[in-house]
């Protein structure tokens, strides 16, 4: 019996397409909105090294998404500010040139200044308190404020707690900061904090801190141990104070319009995977911070001072005017909800 070759070819191609679809489509289960010829690309730009908790988590996130979407969704990670620098990535996200960033919370205070509650000195004792605060009703209300700026938050990643370093003298008492030019992130609260201590805060992009220290344009800086070591900042500093005076974390942000354009099943894939990676990243931040401190102790390349409990109490009391500054500008609601104020 004669068969139409075109019809046979069509039937074979149709069967092959169905077969491939059944073999590849494991997660997400409903993939009909995404053809096999299409690929959703999410460009993820950040400014820290790949050997930091954020850098490692970004890579893990990309790998899991590629595996779970069978290559249909690709996360392209650009670390170390190679695509956009510290002060450029937010505008690039809002323009739609990139689809995802993970800026330090201080960086978004220009849009939602109330977020600077996270920058308050000694606001949190540990990362668990931070996570509890962010997941609370007050924390979620801060998240929703981002929507007005075409931003959606996908979660929070830890860097850890900040320490102080400088090249002039040991910092044991708060008065030791007097006259020092200290690099800070762009945050009015951080500027107020160092001004109260008698220092001169300098808002400088993270990717240029090494050169600014090298040139002597600033005397010191504050950051987490993983960020300090990843950029080798300690090689230019003589003194390090383990003060744990402030939390440093990152908000995972996407362009809201881009997010809404994604198929529902892809959104679910991203949310589920980020929830898993977030927990993994939190543990990495804790582990790596401890490892980096041990390495710095062992290298004997920088003089380290650990604040005692009494010294920390003195610092915390001296920083109370920073809380007054926040209250005067943004109200008491977000300070009142801090974990340390829930037992009074």
């Amino acid at each position: 019996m004669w068969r139409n070759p075109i019809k046979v070819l069509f039937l074979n191609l149709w069967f092959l397409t169905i077969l491939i679809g059944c073999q590849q489509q494991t997660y997400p289960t409903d993939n009909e909105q995404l053809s096999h010829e299409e690929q959703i690309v999410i460009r993820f730009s950040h400014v820290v090294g790949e050997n930091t908790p954020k850098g490692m988590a970004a890579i893990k996130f990309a790998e899991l998404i590629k595996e779970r979407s069978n290559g249909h969704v690709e996360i392209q990670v650009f670390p170390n500010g190679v695509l956009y620098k510290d002060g450029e990535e937010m505008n690039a996200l809002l323009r739609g040139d990139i689809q995802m960033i993970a800026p330090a919370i201080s960086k978004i205070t220009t849009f939602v200044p109330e977020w600077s509650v996270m920058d308050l000195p000694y606001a949190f004792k540990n990362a668990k308190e931070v996570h509890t605060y962010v997941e609370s009703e007050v924390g979620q209300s801060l998240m929703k404020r981002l929507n007005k700026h075409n931003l959606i938050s996908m979660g929070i990643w830890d860097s850890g707690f900040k320490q102080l370093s400088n090249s002039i003298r040991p910092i044991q008492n708060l008065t030791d900061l007097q006259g020092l030019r200290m690099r800070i992130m762009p945050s009015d609260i951080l500027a107020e904090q160092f001004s109260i201590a008698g220092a001169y805060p300098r808002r400088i992009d993270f990717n240029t801190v090494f050169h600014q220290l090298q040139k002597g344009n600033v005397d010191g800086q504050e950051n987490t141990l993983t960020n300090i070591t990843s950029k080798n900042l300690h090689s230019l500093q003589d003194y390090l104070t383990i003060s744990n005076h402030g939390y440093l974390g990152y908000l995972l942000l996407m362009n809201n319009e881009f997010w809404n354009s994604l198929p529902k099943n892809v959104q679910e894939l991203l949310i589920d995977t980020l929830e898993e990676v977030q927990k993994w990243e939190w543990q990495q931040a804790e582990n790596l911070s401890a490892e980096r401190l041990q390495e710095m102790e062992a290298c004997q390349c920088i003089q380290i001072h650990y604040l005692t409990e009494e010294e920390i109490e003195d610092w915390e009391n001296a920083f109370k005017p920073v809380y007054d500054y926040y209250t005067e500008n943004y109200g008491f609601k977000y300070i009142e909800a801090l974990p340390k104020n829930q037992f009074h």
Side-chain angles (χ1 to χ4, degrees):
M1 181 177 178
W2 182 85
R3 296 181 180 179
N4 186 331
I6 296 178
K7 184 177 180 181
V8 171
L9 178 61
F10 175 80
L11 289 172
N12 286 339
L13 287 173
W14 176 80
F15 177 76
L16 183 61
T17 301
I18 295 298
L19 181 62
I20 292 173
C22 292
Q23 289 176 337
Q24 290 188 349
Q25 190 164 321
T26 55
Y27 189 104
T29 54
D30 177 19
N31 207 19
E32 60 185 6
Q33 297 184 67
L34 187 64
S35 73
H36 291 287
E37 291 76 28
E38 288 179 333
Q39 187 180 54
I40 295 176
V41 176
I42 298 174
R43 291 181 290 274
F44 183 177
S45 174
H46 69 81
V47 301
V48 300
E50 291 180 296
N51 59 339
T52 61
K54 176 164 70 171
M56 294 166 65
I59 294 171
K60 185 177 182 67
F61 174 52
E63 291 173 347
L64 289 175
I65 290 296
K66 182 178 181 180
E67 175 190 337
R68 293 172 178 179
S69 70
N70 298 307
H72 292 316
V73 183
E74 180 184 359
I75 311 291
Q76 296 178 351
V77 180
F78 300 90
N80 281 312
V82 294
L83 198 60
Y84 291 101
K85 302 301 180 187
D86 215 0
E88 304 169 344
E89 57 179 12
M90 182 64 78
N91 287 333
L93 180 73
L94 293 173
R95 288 195 308 266
D97 295 340
I98 49 179
Q99 290 71 47
M100 191 171 184
I101 61 175
I105 293 173
S106 302
K107 310 284 175 59
I108 64 163
T109 57
T110 0
F111 295 92
V112 184
E114 290 83 0
W115 265 107
S116 58
V117 67
M118 307 294 288
D119 284 331
L120 288 169
Y122 297 105
F124 305 97
K125 290 182 179 178
N126 51 55
K128 187 177 180 181
E129 285 194 350
V130 174
H131 305 155
T132 300
Y133 184 80
V134 171
E135 291 165 4
S136 70
E137 185 179 342
V138 164
Q140 290 305 300
S141 72
L142 282 171
M143 289 288 194
K144 290 176 184 176
R145 281 176 171 262
L146 295 165
N147 300 149
K148 297 177 182 178
H149 302 277
N150 196 28
L151 297 168
I152 180 170
S153 176
M154 311 297 295
I156 184 171
W157 286 357
D158 294 340
S159 179
F161 282 80
K162 294 181 291 184
Q163 322 302 341
L164 294 163
S165 72
N166 83 104
S167 57
I168 305 299
R169 56 177 172 267
I171 299 173
Q172 181 171 339
N173 302 309
L174 198 62
T175 53
D176 294 326
L177 280 165
Q178 286 184 6
L180 297 183
R181 298 165 299 168
M182 299 293 290
R183 180 266 170 176
I184 64 167
M185 291 181 288
S187 164
D188 289 343
I189 287 296
L190 295 181
E192 188 69 15
Q193 170 183 305
F194 280 94
S195 296
I196 283 173
Y200 300 105
R202 298 283 185 264
R203 305 181 193 214
I204 297 173
D205 288 348
F206 180 61
N207 295 104
T208 65
V209 175
F210 184 90
H211 298 295
Q212 296 296 324
L213 288 170
Q214 196 174 41
K215 292 176 182 178
N217 292 337
V218 287
D219 303 310
Q221 57 84 50
E222 60 162 7
N223 219 313
T224 60
L225 293 173
T226 52
N227 283 343
I228 290 171
T229 53
S230 72
K231 295 296 185 183
N232 204 27
L233 302 182
H234 58 297
S235 67
L236 302 173
Q237 305 275 265
D238 297 311
Y239 308 100
L240 175 70
T241 298
I242 303 301
S243 53
N244 293 311
H245 62 278
Y247 169 78
L248 173 54
Y250 310 104
L251 282 184
L252 293 165
L253 299 177
M254 293 188 77
N255 181 304
N256 203 34
E257 288 179 12
F258 174 78
W259 172 256
N260 290 329
S261 73
L262 294 174
K264 183 70 175 176
N265 57 320
V266 173
Q267 290 181 345
E268 290 174 356
L269 169 62
L270 294 171
I271 290 171
D272 292 345
T273 305
L274 280 172
E275 185 177 348
E276 178 183 332
V277 173
Q278 178 173 262
K279 293 177 182 176
W280 181 87
E281 194 276 345
W282 290 350
Q283 190 60 55
Q284 289 301 308
E286 184 179 338
N287 295 344
L288 286 174
S289 294
E291 288 176 19
R292 297 297 175 263
L293 180 55
Q294 289 178 351
E295 290 169 5
M296 293 178 78
E297 288 173 334
C299 78
Q300 297 183 342
C301 51
I302 190 168
Q303 184 177 319
I304 303 176
H305 173 72
Y306 294 81
L307 290 187
T308 64
E309 289 185 11
E310 291 77 17
E311 287 169 344
I312 288 174
E313 189 176 344
D314 290 341
W315 281 50
E316 192 169 358
N317 289 331
F319 277 134
K320 282 181 179 178
V322 186
Y323 284 73
D324 297 334
Y325 174 88
Y326 182 97
T327 303
E328 289 168 9
N329 287 277
Y330 316 120
F332 188 58
K333 172 183 176 181
Y334 299 102
I335 290 179
E336 186 180 29
L338 289 171
K340 70 176 185 178
N341 293 331
Q342 296 306 295
F343 306 102
H344 297 288

